[in-house]
């Protein structure tokens, strides 16, 4: 099994990125609950035949859809060790938790946070943003809110983020019980950054209406175009207004690993909390999200809940308090820290930073190819590693439908897999270069396949 999975990564270039799933393969996953014992070798064979070839393909160098990391072999091996160790990182006194705390201190240093900041591995940035909303809520209203709920307060909380922010911020407001309507989507500048003048106006209008602004979520690396909000100005506004300043840096925060890119994130060191993923730009195998909170006490006061069966001791196995379960909603927690710790130790921050900077260079190369080709059109500035463009033709009225069809054809062709989004109302082919395996030849393949598919679709429409 180990050989097979390492061979898979080694030879992934020779495979299609993704391939349509035959009905007979899908049907095999309708079988009922097994009763008797099975043969391990046969189950492994099933994996090789029916699962591995039909996975999403984000490890493939031609995968450029959404924002997905490519994984790495060191992380694969560490995950095997973590599964064998079977540590539960909810709490108690064991070194796996020290590994998590060490990774937390490493990222505190990287982001210019104090060493006392608290950090927690979570599934992903969606969960990390949710935790940040809850901590900011208990800071704004007091921890009593955990007992009485929002309904017992006269204050109506309101939050702010960019119109280009990820949808999970609205979802965090929703599942925190504050509601999506209480999230102001501040319009963006021509550079796709939150318009900070409009943010000031919105806060003033809400205060005048008797509402309680409590949370500003800046974005470092927006999902559509990779834009970075003006974090320094956001930090100033938040400080003046005494509002919690959070950053959704799902993929972008780890640009701090690259000395060339790090200055673009100036202001991150002033945030109250940062949500980000090790599983995107840093290539740790899924999943490895993280929440970092400057004020450890506020973080702890939001989640810790003494119960008899989780009693702490100053010595022995039940020592080591506070436990990770005191900083988030999960009690049972796997050893996500290990694959992250291995990845950081084996590759080092210099090489990881270079890899991140290289994906941005490839994005610039793609941008240049798009600009030089009269059949293609760039739809947004290229800030980091994301390029939004489209195929154009005077002979087709509905360019949105044409470009959506091109992307489906690219997926089914198996050479490259961009995704789509809307940029100022126009459907864009969106290529996010996240994978460390992607090379210039994959960019060329994307350009050539896009033009070939576009030409073909235009011809067949005549
Ligand atoms: C991917 C992403 C998220 C969501 O992160 P998950 O790890 O998928 O939960 C949030 N914000 C941005 C900007 C992202 O790119």
């Amino acid at each position: 099994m180990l050989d097979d999975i390492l061979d898979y990564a080694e030879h992934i270039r020779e495979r299609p990125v993704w391939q349509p799933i035959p009905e007979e393969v899908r049907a095999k996953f309708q079988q009922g609950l097994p009763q008797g014992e099975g043969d391990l070798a046969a189950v492994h064979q099933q994996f090789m035949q029916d699962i591995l070839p039909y996975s999403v393909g984000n490890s493939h160098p031609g995968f450029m859809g959404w924002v997905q990391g490519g994984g790495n072999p060191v992380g694969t091996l560490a995950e095997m060790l973590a599964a064998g160790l079977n540590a539960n990182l909810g709490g108690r006194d064991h070194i796996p938790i020290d590994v998590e705390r060490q990774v937390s201190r490493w990222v505190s240093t990287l982001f210019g946070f104090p060493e006392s900041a608290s950090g927690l591995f979570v599934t992903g940035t969606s969960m990390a943003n949710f935790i940040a909303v809850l901590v900011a809520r208990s800071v704004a209203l007091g921890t009593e809110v955990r007992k009485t709920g929002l309904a017992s307060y006269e204050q109506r909380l309101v939050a702010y983020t960019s119109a280009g922010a990820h949808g999970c911020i609205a979802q965090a407001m929703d599942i925190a019980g504050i509601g999506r309507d209480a999230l102001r989507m501040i319009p963006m500048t021509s550079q796709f950054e939150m318009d900070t003048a409009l943010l000031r106006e919105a806060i003033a209008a809400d205060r005048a209406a008797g509402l309680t602004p409590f949370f500003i979520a800046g974005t470092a690396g927006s999902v559509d175009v990779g834009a970075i909000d003006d974090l320094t100005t956001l930090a100033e506004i938040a400080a003046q207004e005494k509002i919690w300043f959070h950053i959704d840096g799902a993929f972008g925060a780890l640009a701090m690993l690259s000395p060339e890119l790090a200055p673009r994130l100036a202001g991150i060191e002033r945030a109250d909390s940062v949500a980000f993923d090790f599983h995107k730009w840093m290539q740790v195998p899924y999943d490895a999200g993280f929440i970092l909170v400057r004020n450890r006490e506020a973080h702890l006061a939001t989640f810790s809940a003494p119960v008899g069966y989780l009693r702490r001791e100053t010595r022995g196995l039940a020592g080591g308090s506070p436990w990770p379960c005191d900083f988030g909603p999960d009690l049972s927690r796997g050893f996500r820290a290990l694959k992250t710790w291995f990845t950081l130790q084996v590759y080092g921050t210099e090489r990881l930073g270079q890899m991140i900077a290289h994906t941005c260079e490839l994005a610039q190369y793609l941008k240049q190819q798009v600009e030089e080709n009269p059949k293609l059109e760039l739809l947004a500035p290229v800030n980091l590693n994301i390029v939004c463009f489209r195929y154009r033709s005077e002979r087709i009225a509905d360019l949105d439908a044409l470009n959506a069809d091109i992307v489906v054809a690219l997926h089914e062709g198996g050479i490259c897999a961009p995704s789509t989004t809307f940029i100022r109302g126009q459907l864009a082919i969106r290529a996010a270069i996240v994978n460390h395996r992607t090379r210039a030849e994959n960019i060329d393949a994307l350009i050539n396949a896009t033009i070939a598919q576009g030409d073909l679709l235009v011809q067949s429409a005549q």
Side-chain angles (χ1 to χ4, degrees):
M1 286 183 214
L2 194 54
D3 258 356
D4 278 347
I5 208 66
L6 293 174
D7 284 352
Y8 167 74
E10 186 177 348
H11 296 288
I12 194 154
R13 273 168 215 284
E14 299 148 32
R15 294 176 167 272
V17 182
W18 178 86
Q19 55 184 321
I21 301 155
E23 273 318 308
E24 60 276 16
V25 171
R26 208 181 288 278
K28 293 185 188 171
F29 296 88
Q30 297 295 326
Q31 279 161 13
L33 181 66
Q35 284 176 323
E37 289 178 29
D39 176 35
L40 174 60
V43 178
H44 172 211
Q45 212 38 50
Q46 263 181 0
F47 171 83
M48 293 307 293
Q49 252 176 38
D50 299 331
I51 298 178
L52 180 138
Y54 304 106
S55 67
V56 78
N58 54 314
S59 300
H60 192 287
F63 189 94
M64 301 168 191
W66 304 277
V67 186
Q68 297 202 21
N72 78 80
V74 169
T76 303
L77 296 172
E79 192 74 320
M80 179 188 73
L81 299 181
L85 196 59
N86 193 27
N88 179 349
L89 276 79
R92 293 153 289 269
D93 194 16
H94 50 128
I95 282 294
I97 292 180
D98 290 71
V99 173
E100 179 158 347
R101 290 181 183 136
Q102 182 174 29
V103 173
S104 185
R105 281 195 303 277
W106 285 346
V107 289
S108 280
T109 310
L110 183 67
F111 295 160
F113 269 48
E115 221 181 80
S116 59
S118 49
L120 190 75
F121 273 92
V122 289
T123 37
T125 293
S126 303
M127 179 56 95
N129 284 333
F130 174 51
I131 288 176
V133 166
L134 292 176
V135 180
R137 173 216 56 174
S138 37
V139 166
L141 298 178
T143 48
E144 188 69 9
V145 65
R146 295 180 60 197
K147 188 155 85 70
T148 60
L150 288 167
S152 64
Y153 288 80
E154 273 175 20
Q155 290 112 304
R156 309 296 296 180
L157 298 180
V158 276
Y160 306 85
T161 197
S162 161
H166 195 277
C168 66
I169 295 179
Q171 192 194 40
M173 293 288 286
D174 163 356
I175 55 184
I178 304 167
R180 289 166 185 260
D181 284 355
L183 179 66
R184 310 282 184 249
M185 308 299 291
I186 307 297
M188 295 180 280
T189 65
S190 60
Q191 293 305 299
F192 295 80
E193 295 165 20
M194 194 196 309
D195 186 324
T196 54
L198 294 180
L199 170 66
R200 284 185 204 272
E201 285 174 24
I203 294 171
D206 283 333
R207 288 217 196 275
L211 305 173
T212 306
F214 84 110
F215 188 75
I216 297 173
T219 299
S222 67
V223 61
D224 277 337
V225 302
I228 302 171
D229 286 341
D230 178 350
L231 304 178
T232 301
T233 302
L234 294 184
E236 271 158 25
I237 296 173
Q240 278 160 13
E241 299 279 348
K242 299 199 168 36
I243 301 176
W244 187 274
F245 177 35
H246 173 71
I247 295 176
D248 175 350
F251 71 92
L254 286 174
M256 289 302 285
L257 290 168
S258 154
E260 296 121 274
L261 297 171
R264 309 261 300 274
L265 292 161
I268 195 171
E269 74 289 349
R270 293 173 66 182
D272 290 303
S273 51
V274 182
F276 65 97
D277 288 321
F278 289 109
H279 57 222
K280 287 177 173 173
W281 237 352
M282 217 184 86
Q283 321 290 338
V284 171
Y286 280 83
D287 48 36
F290 205 83
I291 178 71
L292 187 68
V293 178
R294 175 182 305 275
N295 183 341
R296 178 188 179 81
E297 295 312 315
H299 190 181
L300 191 59
T302 303
F303 291 100
S304 71
V307 284
Y309 49 85
L310 295 176
R311 210 175 90 84
R312 312 301 158 84
E313 301 293 350
T314 50
R315 291 167 34 226
L317 180 52
S321 187
W323 292 351
C325 67
D326 301 324
F327 294 94
D330 292 319
L331 177 55
S332 289
R333 303 174 65 250
F335 198 0
R336 294 183 180 105
L338 193 67
K339 56 194 171 183
T340 309
W341 187 82
F342 262 81
T343 299
L344 278 163
Q345 295 218 91
V346 174
Y347 296 106
T349 57
E350 282 174 15
R351 190 159 163 213
L352 292 168
Q354 282 160 12
M355 173 273 296
I356 284 172
H358 182 62
T359 61
C360 295
E361 285 157 23
L362 288 173
Q364 289 300 328
Y365 174 66
L366 171 55
K367 173 192 170 199
Q368 191 192 336
Q369 303 289 308
V370 167
E371 285 178 333
E372 283 171 7
N373 199 307
K375 286 181 178 170
L376 302 176
E377 178 184 9
L378 192 71
L379 294 185
V382 179
N383 296 289
L384 292 171
N385 59 336
I386 300 179
V387 184
C388 290
F389 65 101
R390 67 175 180 173
Y391 177 94
R392 55 179 192 186
S393 162
E394 257 93 70
R395 291 189 277 168
I396 300 285
D398 189 350
L399 285 178
D400 285 358
L402 174 68
N403 279 280
D405 287 347
I406 290 174
V407 170
V408 171
L410 293 178
H411 291 176
E412 290 180 345
I415 292 170
C416 53
S419 57
T420 60
T421 192
F422 281 93
I423 302 292
R424 299 196 179 101
Q426 293 182 321
L427 186 131
I429 300 176
R430 177 181 163 290
I433 323 298
V434 186
N435 192 325
H436 60 96
R437 297 184 184 92
T438 303
R439 302 174 181 158
E441 71 199 35
N442 303 107
I443 305 292
D444 294 337
L446 169 68
I447 291 282
N448 295 337
T450 301
I451 292 171
Q453 289 298 342
D455 289 353
L456 204 66
L457 287 164
V458 169
Q459 264 169 36
S460 63
Q462 300 299 303

